[in-house]
Amino acid sequence: MKTFIASLASLLLLVLPGAARAGTITVKGSDTLVILGQRWAEEFMKKNPNTKLQVTGGGSGVGLSALINGTTDIAMSSRPIKDTENKQLSARTKVNATEIAVAKDGVTFYVNEANKLDALTAEQLRDIYLGDITNWKDVGGPDAPIVVYSRENSSGTYVFVKDHVLKGEDYTPSAQTLPGTAAVVNAVAKEKNGIGYGGAAYAKGIKELKVLQGKEAIAPSEANIKSGKYPLSRDLYFYLRAKPEGEAKAFLDYILSPEGQALATKVGYFPVK
Amino acid sequence: MQGQGLVGMVAVAPKLSSSARRRQLREKVIAGVITAMAFTGIAALVLILVFVAKEALALFLDAEARHEASLSKMFLPQVTRAGRPATFMWQPVSSVPKVSMIPLFIGTLKTTLVSMVVAVPVGVAGALFAAEFAPRRLREVLKPTIELLAGIPSVVLGFFVLMVLASFMQDTFHVSSRLNALVAGLGLSLAIVPVIFTVTEDALTAVPRSYREASLALGATPWETAWKVVLPAAAPGILAACVLGFGRAIGETMIVLMASGNAAIVSASLTDSARTLSATIAAEMGEVVVGSPHYSLLFFLGVELFLFTFILNMVANTWTRRVLKRLSGAGA
């Protein structure tokens, strides 16, 4: 017991100065990116044990407002920075945020594995999320109400779907909003009439819908997302207050290196290069 | 009353020994420290209210906010899509923000009411059993166990409700949405049963022994005594317990955020999803641009919650004071 406490104390002594050091880089934001950000950070720290990276989620908006307030070094975002946010940032730093696309992602619509449908058109998805279609039988499924899952409005994915699927119109009020893509996946996995959306990397235990264009059903596959053929592909970004330098630059160089991009593929996203 | 008597006594005895004077001084210092502490609490409360209200005030002062979130937009139905009837809609992140608070009020009331309907009978019956019928040894186990329930972090309760209770309810009742007001309300009741239990138990044990003895002496059974004498005598205290539980339920955030589904809809059905005031603040505060109308709006929700709980606590306090007065009056 005593040795345990002693080792715990020495561990704390080792960790505390490290955490308090100025060399710590904090990365914060998008819940879509956080699993990838953590993997990048882990691998990078293995190679560069002197650099400390702290990666936390919270949502794209959370990361960007932390960047504006100066409480994080790097913001992760699954959507481009808004003009209002850039104005707020440049009011403090005199320059616009530095934007770096770090990976590609396809926003995927999930249904329960028991669902017979494989593909829907973009218009059908839009009507479901607008609340104009409320029964699966209207899109060729069984006679059952559609249970619509959405994300909190602090999510970048929420904004992406609103802009690209709903064409700027409002979600149906009966869409249930859940905190985090993992919660949406979990809900759809348990709800046989459910539909949800999120990053492709999270799609485990559920079925990914293809998007029907004319006769062709386009799957959210790597080739389709990289080429932009899949209609709902998007870039994922890191934002900084200024041009990256020092350890931050080394980290970004690693992310954009073939090795870093390979890791993105491994986690379930797609390379930007 | 007692304090006044003491001061009067000091006044008629002007010559004090030095040790008595020292003691008096010490009393004064201690009283001063205690008063200062009490006022620190009050000051904290006032400062929090002032801060929250100040952030919410922009809603009425700022022209942009007044346009985007006027009182009529908050409380009257609005046409949200061309050619559709006017509805209540909460969608503050939109090109044209919809800020109706009605769905949030309905969601809050639904989850709170469900939790009260479940927790009040359980809490009161449990307290009655513990106070009147349970053998001493059982009571000594029962009381701390139920009070321990109050110590479970609400996020753990929320997780339990989300993963276990929601699936169980869906498999049993085949409701259309897994996460709904009923499930959230049941989760909430877990959090408020200990509150109601503890306060009710205190109220029941505060009923003078003479009441029970008189009732039993008149030939009433223990059950009749508990039901017709002790329970009515403690009624105001029990009501205070329920009001406190209500206050906790209305402000509880984590459980409803995880278990209610968070869909801001106007619906009377308990098996539909619901979005509560507190969950809305928690879910949206992370994103808002500081100073924007949406930001002020969330603080305005906070003011409303604050007022709700404030009024409820005042009511609870009044009731508690009344029961104490009544019991001590009857005892004398």
Side-chain angles (χ1 to χ4, degrees), chain A residues 162-183:
Chain A
K162 189 178 166 68
D163 290 346
H164 292 86
V165 181
L166 304 184
K167 309 289 176 215
E169 289 201 58
D170 289 317
Y171 287 90
T172 164
S174 53
Q176 303 187 32
T177 63
L178 299 177
T181 308

Side-chain angles (χ1 to χ4, degrees), chain A residues 61-62 65 79 82 88 130 132 147 152-154 158 162 169-171 173-178 186 190-191, chain B residues 81 84 91 93-94 98 163 167 170 176-179 261-265 273 275 283-284 286-287 289:
Chain A
V62 175
S65 59
R79 60 169 167 81
K82 291 178 195 160
Q88 283 189 319
L130 287 179
D132 293 344
V147 181
E152 298 293 349
N153 54 33
S154 60
Y158 172 99
K162 189 178 166 68
E169 289 201 58
D170 289 317
Y171 287 90
S174 53
Q176 303 187 32
T177 63
L178 299 177
N186 176 45
K190 290 192 166 158
E191 171 65 67
Chain B
R81 270 175 87 187
R84 295 287 178 89
Q91 213 139 72
V93 178
S94 173
K98 285 99 188 164
M163 301 305 282
S167 299
Q170 193 189 26
S176 60
S177 51
R178 215 172 81 83
L179 304 175
N262 297 315
I265 43 177
S273 281
R275 191 177 181 93
E284 295 175 12
E287 159 84 351
V289 178

Side-chain angles (χ1 to χ4, degrees), chain B residues 129-144 201 209:
Chain B
F129 175 73
E132 301 296 316
F133 299 105
R136 187 185 216 155
R137 209 170 281 162
L138 181 61
R139 186 182 159 191
E140 271 162 17
V141 178
L142 195 67
K143 219 179 141 183
E201 221 257 354
R209 178 152 283 280

Side-chain angles (χ1 to χ4, degrees), chain B residues 102-112 181 265 273-277:
Chain B
I102 305 297
L104 307 183
F105 284 142
I106 291 176
T108 308
L109 278 182
K110 272 203 297 194
T111 50
T112 310
I265 43 177
S273 281
R275 191 177 181 93
T276 68
L277 290 167

Side-chain angles (χ1 to χ4, degrees), chain A residues 13-182:
Chain A
L13 281 177
L14 277 176
V15 168
L16 281 177
R21 233 176 30 143
T24 307
I25 300 174
T26 54
V27 185
K28 190 179 173 80
S30 164
D31 285 320
T32 310
L33 257 175
V34 71
I35 48 172
L36 179 55
Q38 274 166 350
R39 287 297 296 278
W40 274 332
E42 270 168 36
E43 294 299 319
F44 184 76
M45 284 190 286
K46 262 186 217 160
K47 293 188 174 53
N48 305 275
N50 291 326
T51 310
K52 289 273 177 291
L53 288 159
Q54 288 178 353
V55 185
T56 48
S60 303
V62 175
L64 287 168
S65 59
L67 190 75
I68 293 167
N69 295 330
T71 52
T72 186
D73 301 310
I74 301 175
M76 303 182 283
S77 179
S78 58
R79 60 169 167 81
I81 192 166
K82 291 178 195 160
D83 284 344
T84 51
E85 287 165 337
N86 224 338
K87 263 182 214 140
Q88 283 189 319
L89 184 77
S90 56
R92 300 194 188 194
T93 63
K94 311 280 179 263
V95 287
N96 280 343
T98 304
E99 174 184 288
I100 296 155
V102 291
K104 271 188 187 298
D105 177 33
V107 169
T108 314
F109 283 85
Y110 316 134
V111 291
N112 191 275
E113 281 179 323
N115 198 314
K116 284 181 298 181
L117 294 169
D118 280 322
L120 290 174
T121 67
E123 288 70 36
Q124 284 171 329
L125 288 170
R126 177 167 184 258
D127 287 346
I128 287 172
Y129 271 86
L130 287 179
D132 293 344
I133 292 179
T134 56
N135 196 305
W136 283 109
K137 75 174 191 286
D138 295 329
V139 290
D143 183 5
I146 301 176
V147 181
V148 179
Y149 291 105
S150 176
R151 286 290 314 279
E152 298 293 349
N153 54 33
S154 60
S155 148
T157 316
Y158 172 99
V159 176
F160 180 86
V161 170
K162 189 178 166 68
D163 290 346
H164 292 86
V165 181
L166 304 184
K167 309 289 176 215
E169 289 201 58
D170 289 317
Y171 287 90
T172 164
S174 53
Q176 303 187 32
T177 63
L178 299 177
T181 308

Side-chain angles (χ1 to χ4, degrees), chain B residues 283-297:
Chain B
E284 295 175 12
M285 196 48 99
E287 159 84 351
V288 290
V289 178
V290 175
S292 66
H294 187 189
Y295 176 84
S296 307
L297 205 57

Side-chain angles (χ1 to χ4, degrees), chain B:
Chain B
M1 287 302 274
Q2 237 171 15
Q4 273 172 14
L6 209 77
V7 171
M9 242 163 64
V10 170
V12 292
K15 277 182 190 164
L16 288 169
S17 67
S18 67
S19 74
R21 213 173 296 149
R22 230 177 291 133
R23 214 169 66 195
Q24 207 188 344
L25 190 72
R26 204 181 63 193
E27 290 288 314
K28 263 190 188 154
V29 169
I30 290 173
V33 168
I34 292 174
T35 317
M37 282 177 177
F39 274 95
T40 315
I42 294 173
L45 186 78
V46 170
L47 284 178
I48 291 171
L49 180 61
V50 165
F51 170 72
V52 174
K54 190 187 105 231
E55 299 293 324
L57 210 60
L59 217 50
F60 304 100
L61 301 179
D62 184 58
E64 186 199 354
R66 233 179 8 210
H67 172 71
E68 197 174 305
S70 63
L71 282 176
S72 70
K73 284 183 178 165
M74 284 184 222
F75 297 106
L76 297 176
Q78 302 285 319
V79 176
T80 51
R81 270 175 87 187
R84 295 287 178 89
T87 51
F88 299 105
M89 200 161 160
W90 173 263
Q91 213 139 72
V93 178
S94 173
S95 48
V96 186
K98 285 99 188 164
V99 296
S100 173
M101 293 185 179
I102 305 297
L104 307 183
F105 284 142
I106 291 176
T108 308
L109 278 182
K110 272 203 297 194
T111 50
T112 310
L113 284 181
V114 169
S115 68
M116 292 304 284
V117 164
V118 177
V120 168
V122 172
V124 172
L128 192 66
F129 175 73
E132 301 296 316
F133 299 105
R136 187 185 216 155
R137 209 170 281 162
L138 181 61
R139 186 182 159 191
E140 271 162 17
V141 178
L142 195 67
K143 219 179 141 183
T145 312
I146 293 189
E147 279 162 6
L148 205 65
L149 205 59
I152 299 179
S154 55
V155 66
V156 175
L157 285 178
F159 191 67
F160 165 75
V161 173
L162 176 70
M163 301 305 282
V164 181
L165 190 65
S167 299
F168 171 76
M169 295 286 287
Q170 193 189 26
D171 293 344
T172 320
F173 301 110
H174 306 288
V175 289
S176 60
S177 51
R178 215 172 81 83
L179 304 175
N180 54 50
L182 184 64
V183 170
L186 287 176
L188 271 185
S189 66
L190 289 176
I192 62 173
V193 159
V195 176
I196 295 177
F197 174 87
T198 315
V199 181
T200 303
E201 221 257 354
D202 286 347
L204 289 172
T205 32
V207 173
R209 178 152 283 280
S210 57
Y211 282 31
R212 294 185 185 85
E213 282 161 358
S215 168
L216 293 171
L218 286 170
T221 63
W223 164 247
E224 283 168 337
T225 305
W227 184 249
K228 292 193 173 156
V229 177
V230 182
L231 205 60
I238 296 171
L239 219 114
C242 297
V243 174
L244 280 178
F246 194 86
R248 169 88 202 266
I250 218 167
E252 173 57 52
T253 307
M254 212 56 221
I255 298 172
V256 285
L257 185 64
M258 291 170 90
S260 68
N262 297 315
I265 43 177
V266 179
S267 131
S269 165
L270 291 178
T271 52
D272 277 340
S273 281
R275 191 177 181 93
T276 68
L277 290 167
S278 55
T280 303
I281 298 176
E284 295 175 12
M285 196 48 99
E287 159 84 351
V288 290
V289 178
V290 175
S292 66
H294 187 189
Y295 176 84
S296 307
L297 205 57
L298 292 182
F299 274 95
F300 188 61
L301 294 183
V303 171
E304 282 164 13
L305 270 179
F306 194 95
L307 288 180
F308 276 142
T309 38
F310 189 68
I311 291 166
L312 278 163
N313 275 326
M314 284 223 312
V315 172
N317 265 333
T318 317
W319 275 105
T320 319
R321 217 169 295 145
R322 196 171 291 180
V323 72
L324 283 178
K325 212 171 173 183
R326 201 170 116 180
L327 287 177
S328 59

